[in-house]
Amino acid sequence: MHKRSVTIDGHRTSISLEDAFWAELSAIARARGLSLNALVAEIDHARGTPEAGNLSSALRLYVLEELKKQRG
């Protein structure tokens, strides 16, 4: 588990994820020409309200979905 600080809409927040998820998120961000902060903000906005689940879970699910798309 690795905790990192990211900025979403000008607010700093800390997120704990396993290193493998951070690596995949960084790779996805690079492939899309985004910063890691921008990708995390995009995922945060797409999940809707905080009641929709925590951000760490949303990031893990996003990585899972992206990897599933790659498998075809």
Side-chain angles (χ1 to χ4, degrees), residues 42-63:
E42 183 179 293
I43 295 166
D44 184 49
H45 294 146
R47 74 186 173 113
T49 64
E51 293 80 30
N54 68 47
L55 182 54
S56 294
S57 293
L59 295 172
R60 287 184 187 94
L61 290 172
Y62 179 85
V63 167

Side-chain angles (χ1 to χ4, degrees), residues 14-37:
S14 294
I15 304 168
S16 293
L17 287 175
E18 295 78 6
D19 289 337
F21 284 102
W22 283 122
E24 287 300 322
L25 282 168
S26 294
I28 293 166
R30 274 192 311 278
R32 294 189 51 203
L34 299 172
S35 68
L36 183 60
N37 281 342

